[in-house]
Amino acid sequence: MAGGVYVSSGGGGNYEGQVTAFVIIACMVAAMGGLIFGYDIGISGGVTSMSEFLIKFFPSVYRKEISDGASQNPYCKFDSQMLQLFTSSLYLAALVASFFASVITRMFGRKLSMFIGGAVFLVGAILNGAATNLAMLIIGRVLLGVGVGFANQSVPVYLSEMAPPKIRGALNIGFQMAITIGILVANLVNYGTSKMKGGNGWRISLGLAAVPAIMMSVGSLFLPDTPNSLIERGQTDKAKKMLQKIRGTDAVDQEFQDLIEASDAAKQVEHPWRNIMQPRYRPQLVITCCIPCFQQLTGINVIMFYAPVLFKTLGFGDDASLMSAVITGLVNVLATIVSVVCVDRFGRRALLLQGGAQMLICQIAVGIVLGLTFGTSGQGSLSKGVADFVLFLICAYVAAFAWSWGPLGWLIPSEISPLEIRSAGQAINVSVNMLFTFVIAQAFLSMLCHMKFGLFFFFAAFVLIMTIFVYSLLPETRRVPIEEMNGVWKSHWFWGKYIPFDAPGTSHSVQLPPGKQV
């Protein structure tokens, strides 16, 4: 169990300043980077459920879909490695791109990474919308992945560095809010384009990804650099003026000095990738690897990538499956607002533990209902009442994810690393996230075919494991300045042994009895 919680008795905990409109606007613009990620997540499943798209690019899948149900197990209708590659190739490209983005983010600033991400994503969207063959489609997806890799590397770091500590969680969750809005918009677009005559609705769905890409690229040109990034690049005078501007006061000497000290410590580190492997960074390395891994093993992308396909497999009609995806997308947005309101009030751990428990119950319940209804043969049908109950359970599951593991899976890794390993840590976060996103996207339809309703029990087991992990090994980080985050680890019952007593940011930490919260 977690035995230590950080309490600031000075330094960063007493920083002066206020929440300025300048910071809010800058963070809102930066968070638009989440739109490109969310739009793609939402658009993929809807497009792959459109008959015209399947006929053009995946005719074998279409033939299985319309085949006689007696000769084809419904669980296996969409089982195709190439169809899964269409979805998953983006995330493999994002994994590789995140390492290049890490270098650019550190050497040239967060803004440039955002611009590159938006520009490359724009080219990919144009290629996908104009695709005439499968190769062109996959190349477009790879370019989309490069854009996502750069955006996911730079945006969460930018938000964490710009935000005042007391509302860092809420502003950082703006990234996840943008992701959920992108998913919802994509689901609405899919619902509309599926009704278009002429069979080119899928082109509109894929091509409209250019809109959030343009928003991100143009928006990044008007963003200010973060004080952390300016100091990291030797522009200290400009950094202090920027800090005064974003805090709305000239009295920023204490916070500025902490940033300078953190930067000086960071400059002593010549090889952040080598240093992050040192024992003193073991807590950050483990959390940065485990959190994005667990985020994907919740099974959320079973719903978000393939919601229309999944609902069609469960017996919902074409329109009903797309509308059900819209409903889950709307729930996703509304529940993320809950996280924005609660994350800095109740803390990260409380949301993760509650969300994990709710997801566990919902997944087990869905697995039981599908097992009793369809068995392993896939033969059977859902009555309206049972179908509505399954939709309710899935919505409750999506809501739990949206106020817990969805936003906090990006927030926590972005705020826990000191400056000297921050870019490397965020690159690991993004790459692990993209790796497991790729694995789930590439394997889900095959897993559904072979594991059938047991797939929900499979993900439920991981939800149980990660909830125990949070309870035991994740300390609370709300309202802790990121320059003094070492105090969190030093005060923890398990991680404290890895943190040197002279580590920056440990001078204000105290040990609280187990169970005590701030």
Side-chain angles (χ1 to χ4, degrees):
M1 61 183 293
V5 175
Y6 172 88
V7 175
S8 178
S9 59
N14 294 326
Y15 291 155
E16 295 190 40
Q18 55 189 329
V19 181
T20 63
F22 181 76
V23 167
I24 299 296
I25 293 172
C27 288
M28 288 176 63
V29 173
M32 287 193 303
L35 288 176
I36 67 174
F37 191 26
Y39 187 87
D40 181 80
I41 290 173
I43 216 68
S44 301
V47 166
T48 53
S49 72
M50 295 181 185
S51 298
E52 295 85 358
F53 179 80
L54 294 177
I55 291 171
K56 185 170 185 63
F57 296 106
F58 305 98
S60 62
V61 176
Y62 178 72
R63 287 193 293 271
K64 282 199 297 184
E65 184 186 2
I66 63 175
S67 66
D68 181 12
S71 61
Q72 179 65 51
N73 191 311
Y75 285 117
C76 300
K77 282 186 175 182
F78 294 92
D79 182 17
S80 165
Q81 289 299 311
M82 290 305 296
L83 180 61
Q84 291 171 128
L85 182 63
F86 163 73
T87 298
S88 65
S89 57
L90 182 151
Y91 303 100
L92 189 60
L95 187 161
V96 176
S98 66
F99 292 99
F100 294 96
S102 169
V103 176
I104 292 175
T105 299
R106 177 168 50 87
M107 296 182 62
F108 302 103
R110 290 57 167 145
K111 288 176 53 177
L112 181 60
S113 283
M114 292 185 213
F115 177 79
I116 292 174
V120 177
F121 194 93
L122 175 61
V123 177
I126 294 172
L127 275 178
N128 270 186
T132 57
N133 54 60
L134 186 58
M136 191 173 176
L137 194 69
I138 298 299
I139 291 172
R141 293 288 294 175
V142 169
L143 291 175
L144 293 178
V146 173
V148 167
F150 272 82
N152 288 3
Q153 161 70 25
S154 54
V155 172
V157 170
Y158 183 92
L159 294 173
S160 288
E161 292 180 345
M162 285 292 284
K166 62 183 178 181
I167 62 164
R168 185 177 63 243
L171 289 183
N172 195 289
I173 288 175
F175 179 67
Q176 177 68 18
M177 176 63 74
I179 292 176
T180 63
I181 291 173
I183 293 171
L184 176 60
V185 170
N187 287 333
L188 290 169
V189 168
N190 280 335
Y191 186 74
T193 57
S194 68
K195 299 180 179 299
M196 292 178 61
K197 304 297 183 182
N200 286 319
W202 62 269
R203 291 192 185 276
I204 304 298
S205 291
L206 295 177
L208 282 178
V211 175
I214 293 172
M215 291 172 64
M216 179 179 172
S217 299
V218 174
S220 67
L221 298 177
F222 296 95
L223 287 175
D225 273 308
T226 69
N228 310 63
S229 179
L230 291 169
I231 292 173
E232 195 173 27
R233 291 179 283 148
Q235 303 176 40
T236 53
D237 291 340
K238 190 174 179 180
K240 187 168 185 178
K241 291 179 181 178
M242 180 56 64
L243 185 62
Q244 291 170 336
K245 187 173 184 179
I246 66 178
R247 297 294 181 253
T249 178
D250 291 336
V252 297
D253 290 346
Q254 178 63 58
E255 183 174 5
F256 184 69
Q257 184 59 36
D258 285 347
L259 293 178
I260 292 289
E261 291 176 1
S263 180
D264 289 341
K267 289 176 181 177
Q268 304 303 314
V269 179
E270 296 181 3
H271 306 287
W273 287 99
R274 187 184 305 165
N275 275 65
I276 200 172
M277 301 299 175
Q278 294 181 3
R280 66 187 297 156
Y281 301 119
R282 190 63 45 77
Q284 292 93 335
L285 179 62
V286 171
I287 298 299
T288 299
C289 289
C290 289
I291 292 293
C293 167
F294 285 144
Q295 187 193 52
Q296 297 311 311
L297 290 174
T298 59
I300 186 61
N301 286 333
V302 170
I303 306 300
M304 293 305 166
F305 286 153
Y306 298 113
V309 170
L310 178 62
F311 286 125
K312 285 181 75 172
T313 300
L314 298 180
F316 291 68
D318 290 353
D319 286 349
S321 65
L322 287 169
M323 181 51 67
S324 297
V326 171
I327 292 171
T328 57
L330 182 60
V331 169
N332 198 18
V333 173
L334 296 176
T336 303
I337 297 174
V338 175
S339 190
V340 172
V341 173
C342 295
V343 68
D344 290 313
R345 180 175 301 178
F346 301 110
R348 283 68 161 148
R349 278 169 48 86
L351 289 177
L352 289 174
L353 293 173
Q354 189 283 329
Q358 185 168 321
M359 286 190 290
L360 179 64
I361 293 170
C362 291
Q363 285 173 316
I364 291 175
V366 170
I368 291 173
V369 170
L370 298 185
L372 293 175
T373 304
F374 295 103
T376 57
S377 68
Q379 302 302 317
S381 61
L382 295 173
S383 66
K384 185 179 184 307
V386 174
D388 289 343
F389 180 58
V390 169
L391 181 59
F392 166 77
L393 289 173
I394 290 177
C395 285
Y397 162 80
V398 169
F401 177 86
W403 63 54
S404 62
W405 281 92
L408 300 185
W410 292 106
L411 168 61
I412 292 171
S414 73
E415 69 180 0
I416 62 174
S417 294
L419 187 61
E420 64 266 25
I421 61 165
R422 191 169 301 157
S423 292
Q426 184 63 8
I428 291 173
N429 174 37
V430 174
S431 61
V432 172
N433 191 297
M434 293 300 103
L435 173 62
F436 280 88
T437 304
F438 166 76
V439 170
I440 297 299
Q442 183 65 32
F444 165 65
L445 294 177
S446 298
M447 291 171 70
L448 180 63
C449 177
H450 292 91
M451 299 178 69
K452 302 175 174 60
F453 64 87
L455 183 61
F456 289 92
F457 298 134
F458 172 81
F459 286 118
F462 279 104
V463 171
L464 177 61
I465 292 170
M466 69 198 209
T467 302
I468 295 173
F469 175 89
V470 168
Y471 183 78
S472 303
L473 295 175
L474 184 69
E476 183 56 68
T477 56
R478 72 182 180 117
R479 300 190 178 184
V480 180
I482 55 179
E483 287 71 38
E484 298 189 3
M485 198 64 72
N486 273 328
V488 172
W489 307 109
K490 191 61 183 175
S491 298
H492 190 266
W493 71 276
F494 180 77
W495 299 120
K497 61 187 176 184
Y498 292 100
I499 309 299
F501 284 100
D502 61 347
T506 59
S507 59
H508 306 297
S509 63
V510 298
Q511 179 77 26
L512 293 183
K516 284 284 187 180
Q517 299 293 331
V518 179

